[in-house]
Amino acid sequence: MNIGGNQKQRSVYTYLIILIILIIINSAISRFAVITWQIAPGVSGLYFAVAFMIAFALWFGIWGAIAAYFGCFIGAGMTSGLPPNINVYWSLADLWQVLIPLIAFRALGADVGLKTKRDFLIFLIFGLVLNNLVGAAWGSFTITPGVSWKQDIFVSWFISNLIVTIIITPLLLRYITPYIKRSGVYVRNYWI
């Protein structure tokens, strides 16, 4: 009897279920954010979904990152009428916004619960500024090729993401992380 194999198999099934749940949550939050303050097709002037997506990726690793991509693709892109051929690469903006902090936290050994000043500094650099800068640049320039107002979308995207991320994400990480870690589903590396 291969107990280790069964545990690994059970873990994969657990994370597939978590992935599906996160895609549904991210899609719903993305859609709600876009319909409350849409500034361009699929773009919200206050895209608070990103704050949750960052926390999900830090808690659930690549599963959370994949869910961020599909949550954006479905919730912000498809339901807003964004053409599928643009939506496929435009939704990568949300993927970059969660992958950058995920890689930084894992590579630098930062605690997701933001227990130290160093952890919080890593969050500020990679989970607030750099990731949102890359995501806003990617998203605004891929959604508006040849459009003169793409700079306005970039500035709105970047500033609003900074606001929601600095308000929501540290609270989630500081106060919810201990429960996620105790639940047994926290991803310490990237996959399991």
Side-chain angles (χ1 to χ4, degrees), residues 51-105:
F52 293 92
M53 290 177 180
I54 293 166
F56 293 158
L58 290 174
W59 292 331
F60 303 112
I62 297 297
W63 304 102
I66 294 167
Y69 173 82
F70 284 105
C72 176
F73 185 88
I74 296 166
M78 280 178 54
T79 61
S80 296
L82 198 62
N85 62 325
I86 293 173
N87 195 8
V88 166
Y89 59 84
W90 172 76
S91 294
L92 289 170
D94 282 19
L95 182 64
W96 307 143
Q97 290 176 144
V98 302
L99 270 181
I100 291 170
L102 174 62
I103 293 168
F105 268 75

Side-chain angles (χ1 to χ4, degrees), residues 37-184:
W37 192 1
Q38 184 167 325
I39 58 173
V43 180
S44 172
L46 201 58
Y47 190 62
F48 49 87
V50 72
F52 293 92
M53 290 177 180
I54 293 166
F56 293 158
L58 290 174
W59 292 331
F60 303 112
I62 297 297
W63 304 102
I66 294 167
Y69 173 82
F70 284 105
C72 176
F73 185 88
I74 296 166
M78 280 178 54
T79 61
S80 296
L82 198 62
N85 62 325
I86 293 173
N87 195 8
V88 166
Y89 59 84
W90 172 76
S91 294
L92 289 170
D94 282 19
L95 182 64
W96 307 143
Q97 290 176 144
V98 302
L99 270 181
I100 291 170
L102 174 62
I103 293 168
F105 268 75
R106 298 309 192 259
L108 299 172
D111 188 293
V112 174
L114 304 180
K115 292 184 177 179
T116 68
K117 290 178 185 177
R118 179 183 177 273
D119 300 332
F120 194 71
L121 181 62
I122 290 169
F123 168 75
L124 290 176
I125 294 167
F126 298 101
L128 177 68
V129 178
L130 184 61
N131 66 326
N132 284 314
L133 185 65
V134 170
W138 180 274
S140 61
F141 287 95
T142 58
I143 198 170
T144 58
V147 177
S148 62
W149 44 270
K150 65 179 128 196
Q151 183 178 354
D152 294 339
I153 291 176
F154 167 78
V155 170
S156 294
W157 187 319
F158 181 61
I159 290 172
S160 70
N161 278 7
L162 286 178
I163 293 167
V164 297
T165 302
I166 195 62
I167 292 171
I168 298 171
T169 310
L171 293 173
L172 292 172
L173 295 177
R174 185 74 175 115
Y175 297 106
I176 306 296
T177 297
Y179 298 105
I180 299 292
K181 285 184 174 182
R182 282 194 300 265
S183 73

